[in-house]
């Protein structure tokens, strides 16, 4: 379920990466390659993190808290201001709240 939540979060993150590149006139092929590279870096980082945490399971709670805090920072520092900068504040806010509700409900039923 955590992987599903992360995958859902990666969809708007990918759009945040792709949309400005397309708007700046970068070719769709180059935009796709750049988005794939950033996605692959996340996969490599995930595998390295899994390997590092499996070695020292005592730091697992701290590593997960750090990863969660990092994602909250990215969302609050980059994604929320970007969605509110173009006049779609209401829709973006409701989408954010809906996402939180989906994750809370899924945590309740699967946690």
């Amino acid at each position: 379920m955590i992987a599903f939540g992360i995958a859902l979060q990666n969809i708007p993150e990918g759009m945040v990466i792709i949309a400005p590149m397309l708007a700046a006139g970068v070719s769709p092929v180059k935009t796709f390659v750049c988005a794939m590279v950033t996605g692959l870096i996340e996969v490599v980082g995930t595998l390295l993190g899994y390997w590092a945490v499996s070695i020292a399971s005592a730091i697992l709670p701290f590593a997960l808290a750090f990863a969660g805090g990092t994602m909250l920072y990215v969302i609050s520092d980059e994604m929320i201001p970007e969605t509110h900068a173009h006049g779609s504040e209401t829709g973006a806010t409701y989408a954010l709240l809906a996402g939180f509700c989906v994750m809370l409900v899924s945590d309740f039923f699967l946690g």
Side-chain angles (χ1 to χ4, degrees):
M1 195 63 192
I2 292 173
F4 179 70
I6 291 171
L8 282 177
Q9 180 271 330
N10 283 339
I11 294 169
E13 183 180 346
M15 289 190 292
V16 167
I17 292 170
I18 291 172
M21 292 178 72
L22 291 174
V26 178
S27 73
V29 172
K30 188 173 182 179
T31 301
F32 177 76
V33 169
C34 288
M36 289 298 294
V37 168
T38 60
L40 289 174
I41 290 171
E42 289 181 18
V43 172
V44 170
T46 300
L47 294 174
L48 286 173
Y50 178 76
W51 173 77
V53 170
S54 68
I55 291 173
S57 61
I59 65 167
L60 178 62
F62 302 104
L64 289 174
F66 179 78
T70 302
M71 293 310 299
L72 287 174
Y73 171 77
V74 169
I75 289 168
S76 65
D77 188 54
E78 296 189 15
M79 292 181 74
I80 292 174
E82 182 66 27
T83 59
H84 284 70
H86 304 291
S88 58
E89 298 91 1
T90 304
T93 301
Y94 286 140
L96 178 69
L97 291 173
F100 275 122
C101 290
V102 167
M103 291 310 294
L104 286 172
V105 168
S106 64
D107 180 52
F108 177 78
F109 285 113
L110 298 173

